[in-house]
Amino acid sequence: MTAHKSKFSVTILGSNSALPANGRNPTSQLLNINNHYYLIDCGEGTQMQLRKYGVKMQRIKAIFISHMHGDHYFGLVGLLNSLHLLGRKMPLEIYAPEALEAIVQLQLDASGGRLQFPIQFHVLNAPDQGSTVIYNDSELQAKVFRLKHRIPCCGFLFSEQIKERTYLPEKGASYNVKIEEIPYLKRGEDVTREDGTTLLSSDFTDDPPKVRTYAYCTDTLPLKRTVEIAQGVECLYHEATFLETEIERSKQTFHSTAKQAAQIARDAKVDQLLIGHFSARYASLDQHLEESRPIFANTELTVEGKEFEIN
Ligand SMILES: [Zn+2]
């Protein structure tokens, strides 16, 4: 297995729940795979955060909205309008609950304006069990699954596309491998030359790096299903709106505590846990870590502006 050379990271744009407070913004994250950008949720002020952290927002190819609570999408129309004003022509894919399309359309229609770029709107339909593929491009595959919140809410599994095998130039040089032969070897195909000799792909290439996966689970009660779906992922984002002292409030509002997020991460045997969607009642987040780390040591807070490399 060769090391990862390609980029796979998540930048935190907003980490609070419900309302901006304690210097924290409502939920949004930017996924970067080889400089292809994807936005996950779009709380109010997301475009300000993209500006603040120097993100080239025209690079965003697709936006994934988990559910219809405002702290996860109130920033969308503002962002769309700015993309338009900045001259975007490239289509934008939006994956969201059905209700969002009419809301966006109403806001655009009321201003009499028209966007210069097409939006391709896709209604999210999570299966009762497991996950289904909703998106594929050259870099990313995204799957959707069901969470349990007051209103329908989706989780997402974001994976790199399966990569080609890694070519070993020193071995190739010793056999005079030609440039045009390399793509076949990288795809795992053997090459037979005109003189009858065969180059085995396995002699000149290494296994591709393991496909990395990021699971995004916001606004949900802790679920067995999440443990199954996020099993073995490199990085799990799980909401931790509350601490255990607020467990009753957490249940009533269909959220999770930092301890419950850690239990999910431990049971799913993930490499790293990011917690977020913090209630405005917590000025400091130290206790979230104190509650999570004894159960799952590799827990990090989703601090805004921080970029987490997934390896
Ligand atoms: Zn919610």
Side-chain angles (χ1 to χ4, degrees), residues 67 69 71-72 149-151 219 255 277:
H67 69 301
H69 282 153
D71 53 331
H72 295 261
H149 195 39
R150 270 174 299 165
I151 59 171
D219 290 47
H255 283 299
H277 199 261

Side-chain angles (χ1 to χ4, degrees), residues 73-107:
Y73 81 90
F74 280 171
L76 186 59
V77 166
L79 174 63
L80 296 179
N81 195 56
S82 294
L83 294 175
H84 162 78
L85 292 173
L86 293 168
R88 185 184 180 105
K89 295 282 190 288
M90 188 173 85
L92 181 69
E93 312 278 336
I94 299 179
Y95 291 80
E98 190 170 14
L100 189 61
E101 185 174 17
I103 292 170
V104 169
Q105 203 54 55
L106 184 74
Q107 287 177 300

Side-chain angles (χ1 to χ4, degrees), residues 250-263:
S250 186
K251 280 184 200 161
Q252 280 162 14
T253 54
F254 289 80
H255 283 299
S256 302
T257 66
K259 182 179 177 184
Q260 289 169 330
Q263 288 166 337

